[in-house]
Amino acid sequence: MTESTCVIDELETTSLIEHWNMVKSWAEKCWLDSGFPADKMHGMLLAIEEAYGNVCFHGYRDKPGPVKFKCYRGQDRSITYKITDWAGPFDVTQVATPDIKPPLADRKIGGLGVLLIREMADEIQWSYENGANTLSLKFGFILENSKS
């Protein structure tokens, strides 16, 4: 993943799904403040929501814990959202791709969230250091009003 050059904003919250609207508003603000088009924001929001939901429901489970978000603007005209939690280690990049060929009626419920994240983000990285998971989701666009 290309080196991020400028921290746009940070947000600290807890892993309560009730906080999703606050996280969503923050992510939208970072996106728009970076000059990215509003009509391209939907995929980013889906990926962030899925990642945050995974931390809430699977990472910390029934006991809420801290979640820290950072947003970076890259020199390569990208935006990267880093989501850090202190739940147990979970490498989202190692989750097997689900088989989506069988009819819906023949599939078990769930298991498509990581696929959604992979489809929405241009690059995904995960690290585990000092007891913290950090998931980096990078989205890149050529901005209409930028100079090459």
Side-chain angles (χ1 to χ4, degrees), residues 87-101:
F90 176 69
D91 185 353
V92 70
T93 67
Q94 298 302 310
V95 173
T97 301
D99 182 6
I100 58 172
K101 293 177 187 159

Side-chain angles (χ1 to χ4, degrees), residues 39-57:
D39 65 331
K40 303 290 185 190
M41 189 170 22
H42 186 69
M44 173 277 294
L45 289 173
L46 287 172
I48 299 286
E49 179 179 18
E50 184 59 38
Y52 181 61
N54 283 345
V55 171
C56 293
F57 297 119

Side-chain angles (χ1 to χ4, degrees), residues 6 15 123 130:
C6 177
S15 61
E123 292 182 37
N130 301 317

Side-chain angles (χ1 to χ4, degrees), residues 106-127:
D106 296 341
R107 290 190 233 161
K108 68 176 190 165
I109 294 175
L112 298 176
V114 173
L115 177 64
L116 178 97
I117 292 170
R118 288 178 182 152
E119 291 295 316
M120 297 297 117
D122 292 311
E123 292 182 37
I124 300 171
Q125 285 187 347
W126 173 83
S127 66

